DNA sequence: TATGAATGAGATTTCATTCAT
DNA sequence: GATGAATGAAATCTCATTCAT
């Protein structure tokens, strides 16, 4: 929550995560050193090692905390019927999850090469594919599968590329969601009137 | 014939670029060391510095060489009328350029955080925005602007995320292009029958 | 008493400064590598970087420590009346300061080109000019100003060139001081009988 | 042959020496790389090696060319009677030699640590001591010997420290010479009236 | 809960030098 | 007279990590 006025006790772990995520998102994972993180927190590097086993562990812990909503979403989705309504709802919830953990997702988007080799790499891949599986039909033609992927990436892009476009972030998110829903709708019911 | 036995003289510069791009795309820019590149070429690190001023310079030179087609495409596009046909043609050509320089674009997609801070960062941003400008109308509603961004990202994704989908790469590329065209078409003529 | 068997903990910083100064004076700044310093101390190079930010920083820290007496001397001098007695006293004290920090001054004398570009360069220049200002009259004829500079350099030389002359160092220092005093005396009172 | 006209061709050797000396004096010997010299001359590093065997050799050759007058001066001095007139004349000629080869002497003054280890190191030491021998009496008291050294250093300083003093260089040189003569005069005839 | 001190590995870069052409 | 290509050695510096206290 509060980013500047932290009471000095008991929440160092959280503060490390906050600062680390901020720096990771700003500069990239490899270009952010533990020294920087420690300095910004006014602790020593060794203190980081009291709370986390490795540098990677810091990132993993952040990911695990912020990723839970998406995980839950997939679990929920798997119990629902594959109707268009369900798919739309999934997109809606996913869009909100993205918005809530924007820095993390921005980081993941911009550091794919890094993240791929880390232990979360597989998890992430699984998650994206799991999400796609919920909104696409396995036997759909290739074009429809592309539409589903595209829907997801559209929402990701909604947080990134659209930085350079004017307008309120929340509105941009909604516009991206709208386009995503449209894409999935077409994929879901190819015979719908165009 | 032989892909491993390189002719030893005269083309070192090119060979450095080739090996570097391969490794950059495979492992990421920061995790690829000059030692690795040199070893794979059976030259000393110092030889790299005879041909390039810095590590960054290697990447920049690769980028400048492979980026030319896209640059040309933008210049061409700026002289054309903003018809739907032009836009479609731009997408088609861009898709082909992407396919031809796949490793570079894959690298750029997966190393955005790195590339952003390099001297090519601004160039790339300019280029993407220049491309988007050719296919979107400046006064179009936000949703249509998203569609245009989405079209571009769909083609990028066509080279990346779709790795995990079965099927021939060329077919996947065409499917991505088709979806992109569709998105731009809708953005171009919002009143078209759906 | 042992000069080679150093107590291993707690005073590393000081030991680095000692060894560094010795090597800097012996071989010059640029020709002394951090590897050498580290090896002579039986520490790793990285340890040096724990205590000092850069190679230059090692030198700067040495300089700042040993320069204090001279700095104090200038401050003291500025509060005194510009009598011949004051000037003589300044020369006397300066001569002693030089003797006490002989290796540093020898280093500075022999590495002027290097020191000039370092961050201490300006400080040193300031200090020498500050010192000269205390012993020369601003409106004195050029010849008298030269005498004052010469007085200072005579004492510097007393530590250097006179190495190749026979005799006890302490006696040489006193002889140099005597000549310096004589020069300043003449500059102070040009009409004095010769 | 004998004439000193310098057309743009065929005098590369001389041009190398000129540029090298300028850079050596400006930045110091170690901090000046052959790359810099070559670039400033618009030739390749390898070209330098056609004309000189090593980097040191460039410096040595410069030194040998410019040092000749001083060498001659010493030889001449050795044939003269050790009168005060001779000594004065030596100082006068030396002062002129210094002025004529100012950059070289400035370089030597500021790079003593470097020069000491080079092959010219011994030569220089010899030369200074040879010069001193001409103006001091071997059995003179220590103070008088200091005066002689001081005379020499005063003239050196005349080219350096006096940079920061106002006034015409030629006048400053003459002032330095005057003080030097005075010092040697006293050393020569201690009983002279003061 | 943390720190102070240190390390081992490795990064990028620079340099003087060589040699076939 | 000079270049193009390359090398071997070394330099400065950074990093993630460890451990006794």
């Amino acid at each position: 929550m509060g980013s500047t006025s932290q009471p000095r006790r008991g929440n160092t772990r959280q503060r490390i995560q906050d600062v680390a995520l901020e720096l990771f998102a700003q500069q990239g994972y490899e270009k952010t050193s533990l020294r920087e993180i420690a300095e910004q927190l006014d602790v020593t590097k060794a203190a980081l090692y009291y709370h986390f086993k490795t540098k990677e562990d810091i990132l993993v812990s952040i990911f695990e905390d912020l990723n839970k909503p998406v995980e839950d979403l997939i679990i929920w989705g798997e119990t629902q019927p594959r109707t268009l309504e369900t798919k739309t709802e999934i997109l809606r919830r996913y869009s909100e999850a993205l918005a809530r953990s924007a820095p993390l997702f921005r980081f993941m988007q911009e550091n794919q090469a890094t993240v791929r080799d880390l232990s979360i790499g597989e998890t992430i891949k699984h998650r994206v594919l799991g999400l796609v599986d919920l909104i696409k039909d396995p036997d759909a033609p290739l074009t429809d599968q592309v539409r589903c992927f595209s829907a997801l990436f559209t929402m990701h892009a909604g947080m990134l590329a659209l930085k350079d476009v004017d307008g309120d972030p929340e509105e941009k998110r909604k516009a991206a969601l709208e386009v995503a829903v449209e894409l999935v709708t077409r994929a879901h019911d190819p015979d719908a009137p165009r």
Side-chain angles (χ1 to χ4, degrees), chain A:
Chain A
M1 290 168 104
S3 60
T4 41
S5 74
Q6 287 110 346
R8 284 244 78 190
R9 284 239 155 69
N11 59 344
T12 305
R13 198 190 137 93
Q14 177 68 45
R15 286 169 63 225
I16 293 173
Q17 290 178 316
D18 291 349
V19 167
L21 178 53
E22 194 183 321
L23 291 176
F24 287 164
Q26 219 169 82
Q27 320 178 326
Y29 177 77
E30 348 252 356
K31 284 209 306 248
T32 301
S33 72
L34 295 185
R35 179 174 54 68
E36 268 178 298
I37 298 177
E39 257 167 24
Q40 195 148 128
L41 285 165
D42 210 35
V43 283
T44 59
K45 272 182 290 173
L48 306 183
Y49 279 88
Y50 178 80
H51 292 282
F52 300 94
K53 273 224 296 257
T54 62
K55 183 186 182 184
E56 183 174 341
D57 193 34
I58 299 181
L59 178 56
V60 170
S61 80
I62 295 171
F63 176 73
E64 273 166 0
D65 287 5
L66 293 180
N67 189 44
K68 186 118 196 315
V70 178
E71 216 66 71
D72 290 346
L73 175 56
I74 294 180
I75 291 171
W76 175 83
E78 280 166 348
T79 69
Q80 300 304 111
R82 305 257 171 140
T83 63
L84 183 55
E85 283 70 40
T86 304
K87 293 177 180 175
T88 307
E89 181 62 16
I90 287 170
L91 292 178
R92 217 184 44 74
R93 293 195 189 183
Y94 186 54
S95 175
E96 273 165 9
L98 285 178
R100 248 180 339 250
S101 305
L104 175 63
F105 288 102
R106 183 178 157 210
F107 165 78
M108 279 170 17
Q109 184 80 2
E110 294 188 335
N111 292 269
Q112 290 172 55
T114 298
V115 146
R116 194 190 340 131
D117 297 337
L118 263 32
S119 71
I120 43 174
E122 276 303 298
T123 312
I124 294 177
K125 197 168 142 185
H126 251 90
R127 210 199 51 192
V128 171
L129 293 179
L131 219 42
V132 170
D133 272 348
L134 292 180
I135 54 179
K136 84 170 170 55
D137 289 321
D139 315 318
L142 194 50
T143 323
D144 282 333
Q145 301 204 31
V146 168
R147 274 188 258 263
C148 292
F149 269 99
S150 188
L152 249 46
F153 280 95
T154 296
M155 290 192 299
H156 291 168
M159 303 172 7
L160 299 173
L162 269 55
K163 264 191 315 191
D164 303 312
V165 174
D166 52 320
D168 171 61
E170 184 57 14
E171 272 183 42
K172 287 192 275 184
R173 187 189 63 99
K174 283 193 178 141
L177 175 56
E178 192 186 325
V179 174
V181 166
E182 195 177 276
L183 281 160
V184 168
T185 302
R186 186 114 12 103
H188 181 80
D189 184 2
D191 304 324
R194 306 191 163 204

